[in-house]
Amino acid sequence: MKIVLDTETAGGFDNPLVYDIGYVVADNNGAIVKTRSYVIKEVYDNAELFESAYYKDKKSIYEERLKTGATKKVNLAYALYRLQKDIDKYGAEKFAYNSKFDSKALTKSIDKFNKSKYKLVATEIKDIMQFIDKIVNTQNYKQFCTNNKLMTKHKRPRPQKKAETLFRYLTNNPNYTEEHTALEDSKIELFILLTALGLSA
């Protein structure tokens, strides 16, 4: 079993604080058996702090999903408790795309809001980017990125390795735009992971 999680944060890159955590639990054939989506009260309801969120313009999406029950507003401790319970229940490994950032965001949030009993939740999250070489090193991928102007801004541009870019390539949809809400992004990251591992998605 695998858990693929994603976070959205406020507070800037150096001190990211989670206002949205979402994840999918999938079996080893890639079938999703559980999804969870939590808006974190401590950050989301702090107007000044939320104003520093890079994707603050998406607040209307959250407000709509809170109304419909598609996501729930909870304290950080509850979200971490549920995540730990799901890890234990399913015996699942944790994954995230660019997991260093998600680990950092969870750790910073745990420290900020004194939830140290959940410290282990933020550790040992495997990085999906460690598994994508067989995709991004192909000539087809490089050509796709070149053709669709999905190159880095380095002096010598290279194909991007963002989750959005990989999903565009894998679905042959160069116009796809990542939603940048945690649950929806975790779904595409699961797809990338399963494809990279040669499993059905």
Side-chain angles (χ1 to χ4, degrees), residues 63-135:
E63 290 300 308
E64 182 60 33
R65 289 178 183 171
L66 286 166
K67 285 180 186 175
T68 64
T71 190
K72 295 178 182 177
K73 191 190 292 184
V74 301
N75 293 319
L76 176 66
Y78 181 81
L80 297 175
Y81 165 79
R82 286 275 27 130
L83 174 55
Q84 187 60 61
K85 292 290 281 187
D86 286 333
I87 291 166
D88 295 341
K89 176 181 178 179
Y90 295 103
E93 295 179 287
K94 293 174 286 186
F95 294 84
Y97 201 90
N98 187 19
S99 64
K100 285 183 181 178
F101 179 78
D102 296 285
S103 291
K104 178 180 179 179
L106 289 169
T107 298
K108 291 280 188 181
S109 301
I110 287 166
D111 290 344
K112 170 76 173 176
F113 301 112
N114 300 311
K115 307 300 178 187
S116 59
K117 67 182 289 187
Y118 297 106
K119 205 94 171 177
L120 285 177
V121 175
T123 64
E124 296 181 358
I125 303 174
K126 295 184 178 180
D127 194 345
I128 295 171
M129 294 184 78
Q130 292 181 337
F131 303 96
I132 63 173
D133 284 355
K134 289 182 180 178
I135 300 170

Side-chain angles (χ1 to χ4, degrees), residues 160-178:
Q160 295 175 0
K161 293 183 180 180
K162 297 188 295 185
E164 180 180 77
T165 305
L166 265 83
F167 193 75
R168 286 175 173 180
Y169 169 73
L170 294 173
T171 57
N172 195 28
N173 179 8
N175 297 315
Y176 170 79
T177 301
E178 202 171 4

